[in-house]
Amino acid sequence: MDSGDKASKYKGQGSSLLLVLVNALCFSLLQAEPIRVLVTGAAGQIAYSLLYSIAKGDVFGKDQPIILVLLDIPPMLPVLDGVVMELQDCALPLLREVIPTDKVEVGFKDLDAAILVGSMPRKEGMERKDLLKANVAIFKTQGAALDKYAKKTVKVLVVGNPANTNCLIASKSAPSIPKENFSCLTRLDHNRASSQVAMRCGVSSDKVKNVIIWGNHSSTQYPDVHHAKVNVHGSEMAAYDAIKDDAWLRGDFISTVQLRGAAVIKARKLSSAMSAAKAICDHMRDIWFGTKEGEFISMGVYAGGNSYGIPEDLIYSFPVQIKNKTWKVVDGLSINDFSRAKMDATAAELVEERDTALDFLSQ
Ligand SMILES: NC(=O)c1ccc[n+]([C@@H]2O[C@H](COP(=O)([O-])OP(=O)(O)OC[C@H]3O[C@@H](n4cnc5c(N)ncnc54)[C@H](O)[C@@H]3O)[C@@H](O)[C@H]2O)c1
Ligand SMILES: *[C@@H]1O[C@H](CO)[C@@H](O)[C@H](O)[C@H]1NC(C)=O
Ligand SMILES: *[C@@H]1O[C@H](CO)[C@@H](O)[C@H](O)[C@H]1NC(C)=O
Ligand SMILES: *[C@@H]1O[C@H](CO)[C@@H](O)[C@H](O)[C@H]1NC(C)=O
C-alpha cells in the first residue's frame, strides 16, 4: 500500500465523518426540542376535543414536537388512561410522550405552556361563595406549583370558571412568573360575536375582525362592535354600517353572545366543549405566533396600567395585539357612554368577586 492510497483512505474517512456531523446538525436543526404542554381537567369534555388539535400541531406549529402532560383528580385516572390510549392510537408524529398524572409536582414540571381547564363545578345546592372558595383553593395550589416547578417563561391560560378570578389567584400564587404570562379565555365569546356578525352580513367569519369582549366571561361581559370591521364583497366597512340595524346591535346581538353558553347547555344538556376547545387553540396559537397585522383579539389579561379606566389588579378581557409572545392592550379606542356603562358594570362584578376570593386566599 503506497502513501497515495493511505491519503485517499483518510480522505474517505474524513468526508464520511463530515457527513455524519452535517447530518447530525441538520437533524438537530430540523427536529426542534419538544415543548411540554400541560392540560388540566384532561379527563373532561373540553379536553377531549382539545388534545387532538394540540397533538397534531394546530397550536404550536406543524414542526414542533410536543410532550403532553395530562392532569386530573385521582378518581379520573382510569378515564385518563383511556384518553392516553386514544392519543396513542391517533399515531401523531409530533406527539413524543403523554404523561397522565394526578400529582402537581409531575404535572407542572418544566412547562412551556399550561392550559388550566379543570375547576370545581357547581353542584346541586352549592352556594356561590363555597364554589368560589373551592376554586381559590385549586388555583392557589396550581399557581404555587407553577411557581415551583414550571419554566419562568411558561404561558398560562385559565379556562376553568370563574376563569378571570381563577387566573388572578393563580398569578398571585406564582410571584416568580411575570403577570403578563397569565391570561384567561374570552376567545370563545369573541368567536361567538364574530360569527353572529358574519351570519348577519352573510359573509364568512374570516371577513369579520376586531370585535371586542370587555370584562368577565359571564353574562355581564360586553361584546362591542363599535370598532369591528366587515369585509363585504371586497370592501371593508364598519360593522355598524354593514349591519345597518343599531337596535339589533345594541339589543339581541349583545344578549345572544352573553347568553350563548346557557343556550348551548339548554340544548345539549352539556356545556360548550367543541367551540371552547377551538377557542383555546386560537388563543394559545396567537400567543405563540402573534396576531395578524392590523387585527386584535380578546383575552382576559392583567388590567394593571390599562388606559380604559378599568380598576387595576383584575384579570379583565381587553382587545389585545400580540407580537413576539408579548401582548399589548390596544389603546386609544373611543368609548361612548353606552360602552362605558357596560364596561364598568362587568368590572364591578369582577372587583366584588376578586375581593371575596382574596379573603379566601389569605385564610
Ligand atoms: N372560559 C370559557 O370560555 C369556558 C368555556 C367553556 C367552559 N369553561 C369551563 O371549563 C371548565 C371545564 O369544562 P368541561 O366541560 O371540560 O368540564 P368537565 O366537567 O367535563 O371536565 C372538567 C374536568 O376537570 C377535572 N378537575 C376538577 N378539579 C380538578 C383539579 N383540581 N385538577 C385537575 N383536574 C380537575 C374534573 O375531574 C373533570 O375531569 C368548566 O369550569 C367550565 O365552566 C370555560
Ligand atoms: C364572572 O364570570 C364567571 C364565569 O362565567 C362566573 O362564574 C362568575 O360568577 C362571574 N362573576 C360574578 C361576580 O358574577
Ligand atoms: C422577543 O422577546 C424575547 C424575550 O422577551 C427578547 O429577548 C427578544 O429581544 C424579543 N425580540 C424582539 C424582536 O423584540
Ligand atoms: C412572559 O414573560 C416573559 C419574561 O419571562 C416576557 O418576555 C414575555 O413577553 C411574557 N409573555 C407574554 C405573553 O406576555
Side-chain angles (χ1 to χ4, degrees):
M1 193 185 282
D2 66 21
S3 58
D5 273 354
K6 215 174 232 167
S8 67
K9 192 174 164 202
Y10 273 115
K11 204 172 145 202
Q13 274 182 354
S15 64
S16 66
L17 186 65
L18 193 67
L19 211 65
V20 169
L21 285 174
V22 167
N23 272 338
L25 188 66
C26 286
F27 187 76
S28 62
L29 283 179
L30 291 173
Q31 292 287 307
E33 276 287 303
I35 54 167
R36 254 176 121 89
V37 179
L38 166 70
V39 176
T40 73
Q45 56 149 0
I46 291 180
Y48 195 72
S49 291
L50 173 65
L51 293 170
Y52 172 62
S53 297
I54 295 175
K56 79 190 220 296
D58 287 356
V59 178
F60 300 101
K62 301 285 178 197
D63 52 6
Q64 175 59 65
I66 285 175
I67 297 170
L68 263 182
V69 188
L70 310 182
L71 181 80
D72 212 295
I73 53 178
M76 299 306 284
L77 284 181
V79 175
L80 216 46
D81 279 340
V83 176
V84 173
M85 283 188 256
E86 284 209 67
L87 280 166
Q88 291 166 345
D89 298 347
C90 288
L92 296 163
L94 291 175
L95 187 58
R96 293 303 152 82
E97 203 182 337
V98 186
I99 303 169
T101 185
D102 59 356
K103 301 196 170 39
V104 290
E105 60 273 26
V106 177
F108 287 82
K109 193 174 180 324
D110 293 337
L111 295 179
D112 295 286
I115 304 174
L116 308 183
V117 181
S119 67
M120 177 64 70
R122 173 168 255 151
K123 289 175 191 142
E124 226 17 69
M126 198 172 188
E127 293 271 338
R128 251 177 87 98
K129 273 203 148 180
D130 295 332
L131 180 65
L132 186 59
K133 190 175 188 176
N135 278 307
V136 168
I138 291 174
F139 286 86
K140 182 183 181 179
T141 304
Q142 297 190 350
L146 282 163
D147 202 54
K148 190 162 176 197
Y149 302 112
K151 289 187 184 165
K152 298 303 170 201
T153 52
V154 63
K155 305 294 176 275
V156 184
L157 164 56
V158 177
V159 179
N161 281 321
N164 300 54
T165 301
N166 288 342
C167 184
L168 187 71
I169 296 299
S171 167
K172 285 186 182 295
S173 308
S176 70
I177 297 169
K179 287 188 183 66
E180 294 73 25
N181 284 0
F182 286 79
S183 56
C184 87
L185 189 75
T186 54
R187 187 60 171 270
L188 175 54
D189 310 293
H190 179 102
N191 287 348
R192 285 167 173 163
S194 297
S195 196
Q196 287 297 320
V197 169
M199 288 189 287
R200 189 78 177 191
C201 296
V203 300
S204 56
S205 63
D206 59 329
K207 299 287 189 283
V208 178
K209 68 178 188 191
N210 301 354
V211 303
I212 302 168
I213 304 297
W214 300 96
N216 195 15
H217 168 69
S218 74
S219 55
T220 67
Q221 67 173 262
Y222 171 43
D224 176 8
V225 294
H226 286 98
H227 307 280
K229 299 269 190 298
V230 186
N231 189 311
V232 186
H233 310 307
S235 68
E236 192 170 275
M237 53 177 97
Y240 267 85
D241 296 335
I243 290 169
K244 294 189 199 75
D245 188 345
D246 291 14
W248 181 76
L249 279 172
R250 291 178 165 221
D252 283 354
F253 162 73
I254 291 177
S255 55
T256 300
V257 176
Q258 288 173 331
L259 301 173
R260 191 66 157 185
V264 170
I265 292 178
K266 188 158 180 260
R268 227 170 70 85
K269 317 280 180 264
L270 284 169
S271 66
S272 315
M274 175 170 54
S275 54
K278 159 65 165 57
I280 292 168
C281 292
D282 290 347
H283 178 123
M284 199 45 109
R285 195 188 49 242
D286 283 347
I287 288 182
W288 224 253
F289 294 109
T291 46
K292 288 185 200 138
E293 204 53 47
E295 293 195 19
F296 45 82
I297 51 90
S298 307
M299 58 190 222
V301 293
Y302 193 65
N306 77 86
S307 63
Y308 291 102
I310 302 303
E312 316 234 332
D313 209 26
L314 285 183
I315 298 283
Y316 186 98
S317 180
F318 286 101
V320 304
Q321 288 176 321
I322 306 168
K323 238 185 200 161
N324 191 25
K325 296 199 173 75
T326 304
W327 54 262
K328 239 182 110 353
V329 170
V330 177
D331 284 323
L333 299 173
S334 58
I335 305 295
N336 61 22
D337 292 347
F338 180 82
S339 296
R340 187 74 252 168
K342 292 198 165 348
M343 288 160 67
D344 289 345
T346 188
E349 174 180 288
L350 282 172
V351 166
E352 181 216 302
E353 191 169 79
R354 174 198 66 197
D355 291 345
T356 313
L358 290 182
D359 280 347
F360 292 138
L361 186 64
S362 63
Q363 276 171 21

